[in-house]
Amino acid sequence: MKKLMLLSLIVLSISGTNALAESAKAFAPESLPSLISAIRVEGPLDFCGEPLPLNNPDVRERLEKELLLILWNRPQVILWLKRSTRYFPYIEKTLAQNNMPQDLKYIAVVESALLDYAGSSQGAVGYWQFIKQTGLRYGLSIDKNIDERRNFFASTKAAVAYLQDLHDLFSSWTLAAAAYNVGEDRIQNEKNSQKVDNYYDFSLPKETERYILKIMAVKLIFSNPSRYGFHLLEEDYYQPLTFDRVKITLPGRTPLYLVAQASGTYFKQIKDLNPELMGDQLPKGTHIIAVPKGSGESFHSLFAKLSKKWRQEYNMHIYIVKKGDSLSTIAEQFNVTLPSLMAWNDLRSDNFIRPGEKLIIYQ
């Protein structure tokens, strides 16, 4: 009897070991394509229809380097692929509307890994890594309250417009992308000093020399993920962004949690849907806010009730500026601090107030 039990245990142990072995085999490193086979790239290849000169040994080596570096971090590539279905549809649509090549969508992957909070040491921010000066030039709102570089839709429109202008300037999508990385002035200066027109012949900052090859490596992987060992199922990909938009006009600073309550959700979800909102309050003025899908229809009535209750609780008073008033005299009149009065009304020390202007005061 003991021998029979022992034999059964041995059989079960062997079966379990075989099952584990089969499971482990499916995910074993040897089941992935070798790095050597991954970088055996055959042409022709192109970026935005412009040929990649694979017959140039230097260019081939640079492409192989970028492929190896990217494939070394497989978890990151998986996240890139999974995020792509959340963001690519809108980028592709915007590019198509402007008759621009679809390869430009890979710039967002290289720039930010499709993350709104991505930033650089040079002060670039958001999905498309705009520096403040360029973002303002292309119509993005950037201040202490709102930073539209973190708004996917606004920043995508700005990036597409910028890339189109760069292409108009250089008559090359490859040079346009390089200029997107290092700036149009630098590319123009290098063209004048080096007397070359082909990106692959330029001597540029190392980051810019790598830039197009990195984009091409991303394109290769995204174009055929299974070739590189990424076998994602349809349900593995993240869902596209869905939401309702609501328009609100505020007389003064208003807590963002009121927007969340009127939307039937919580503060974090409103921040996630609107990453461009920098604080926990909305400044006075008109705002278009993304709220959870399906909550837009009832939002305005709920928000009006919540806002009214909140203003009553905090005894909000609207003061109309009179001739001869100053911020100091108004603060003294209502027994509030000058910094508080300025903060409530988004004013700076160099702002002037004029008769008839409305100020918010909490007493």
Side-chain angles (χ1 to χ4, degrees):
M1 185 67 176
K2 289 182 179 180
K3 289 182 179 180
L4 182 60
M5 289 178 63
L6 181 60
L7 181 61
S8 298
L9 288 172
I10 292 172
V11 170
L12 286 172
S13 176
I14 292 173
S15 300
T17 302
N18 288 340
L20 288 172
E22 287 299 316
S23 176
K25 184 179 179 181
F27 296 97
E30 55 265 29
S31 68
L32 300 174
S34 71
L35 291 176
I36 293 297
S37 66
I39 62 173
R40 288 178 179 143
V41 179
E42 297 181 2
L45 297 179
D46 69 273
F47 173 71
C48 298
E50 298 173 9
L52 180 80
L54 272 178
N55 58 333
N56 182 324
D58 174 63
V59 172
R60 177 175 283 277
E61 180 177 345
R62 287 156 60 190
L63 177 62
E64 290 176 352
K65 173 186 175 181
E66 299 306 329
L67 267 173
L68 288 170
L69 290 175
I70 290 173
L71 291 171
W72 185 259
N73 192 353
R74 295 184 64 81
Q76 178 66 80
V77 179
I78 291 172
L79 289 172
W80 287 353
L81 290 165
K82 288 169 73 69
R83 291 181 195 130
S84 67
T85 44
R86 178 183 291 160
Y87 298 110
F88 274 10
Y90 181 76
I91 299 176
E92 291 167 349
K93 178 182 175 182
T94 307
L95 290 170
Q97 288 172 341
N98 289 274
N99 298 312
M100 295 167 66
Q102 291 296 323
D103 284 355
L104 297 172
K105 66 189 174 189
Y106 300 117
I107 290 177
V109 179
V110 170
E111 288 286 352
S112 68
L114 299 173
L115 295 170
D116 65 86
Y117 56 80
S120 77
S121 58
Q122 287 75 38
V125 172
Y127 295 97
W128 293 90
Q129 291 293 281
F130 276 102
I131 61 172
K132 185 175 182 178
Q133 180 182 1
T134 308
L136 290 172
R137 177 156 45 112
Y138 282 88
L140 298 178
S141 296
I142 305 171
D143 57 35
K144 65 179 181 180
N145 299 305
I146 295 174
D147 190 343
E148 287 190 323
R149 293 176 293 180
R150 293 163 56 102
N151 180 297
F152 170 66
F153 301 97
S155 64
T156 296
K157 288 180 179 178
V160 167
Y162 185 29
L163 285 163
Q164 182 64 74
D165 286 348
L166 291 171
H167 181 263
D168 292 343
L169 179 62
F170 295 109
S171 300
S172 162
W173 287 114
T174 309
L175 287 182
Y180 190 93
N181 174 256
V182 78
E184 57 265 39
D185 291 342
R186 179 63 182 268
I187 294 296
Q188 192 62 62
N189 290 338
E190 296 298 344
K191 281 188 69 176
N192 294 335
S193 63
Q194 298 183 37
K195 304 302 180 187
V196 293
D197 291 311
N198 189 323
Y199 162 82
Y200 303 101
D201 296 331
F202 272 98
S203 174
L204 295 167
K206 290 303 177 185
E207 179 186 336
T208 310
E209 287 190 354
R210 295 178 58 187
Y211 194 65
I212 302 299
L213 284 306
K214 188 181 294 186
I215 294 170
M216 285 301 305
V218 172
K219 177 184 176 180
L220 283 169
I221 294 169
F222 271 68
S223 299
N224 190 2
S226 60
R227 182 192 185 290
Y228 300 94
F230 300 103
H231 304 285
L232 276 69
L233 303 176
E234 185 176 349
E235 57 266 30
D236 291 328
Y237 290 91
Y238 298 141
Q239 293 297 308
L241 297 172
T242 58
F243 49 83
D244 291 340
R245 291 186 189 272
V246 295
K247 185 177 182 179
I248 51 177
T249 300
L250 306 174
R253 280 191 165 272
T254 303
L256 194 58
Y257 73 78
L258 293 180
V259 174
Q261 290 178 351
S263 307
T265 186
Y266 43 91
F267 180 88
K268 183 181 184 301
Q269 188 170 12
I270 296 299
K271 290 284 283 187
D272 288 345
L273 286 171
N274 303 273
E276 70 275 14
L277 302 179
M278 301 307 294
D280 57 5
Q281 295 182 334
L282 287 171
K284 69 177 180 179
T286 299
H287 305 275
I288 297 176
I289 306 294
V291 296
K293 188 73 174 175
S295 66
E297 186 175 347
S298 60
F299 174 85
H300 287 95
S301 59
L302 289 172
F303 184 73
K305 293 177 184 177
L306 290 167
S307 298
K308 181 179 180 180
K309 181 181 177 182
W310 178 79
R311 286 195 296 269
Q312 290 173 343
E313 287 178 355
Y314 286 88
N315 195 15
M316 190 185 86
H317 176 73
I318 298 179
Y319 178 77
I320 300 176
V321 177
K322 301 178 180 63
K323 186 176 181 180
D325 279 341
S326 69
L327 289 174
S328 298
T329 60
I330 295 171
E332 185 177 351
Q333 177 183 341
F334 287 92
N335 194 28
V336 297
T337 66
L338 180 59
S340 295
L341 179 62
M342 294 170 64
W344 294 331
N345 294 277
D346 292 308
L347 296 172
R348 302 188 306 271
S349 58
D350 58 348
N351 286 141
F352 294 98
I353 55 173
R354 296 172 177 81
E357 188 174 344
K358 295 179 180 181
L359 296 179
I360 301 298
I361 299 171
Y362 297 101
Q363 296 178 282

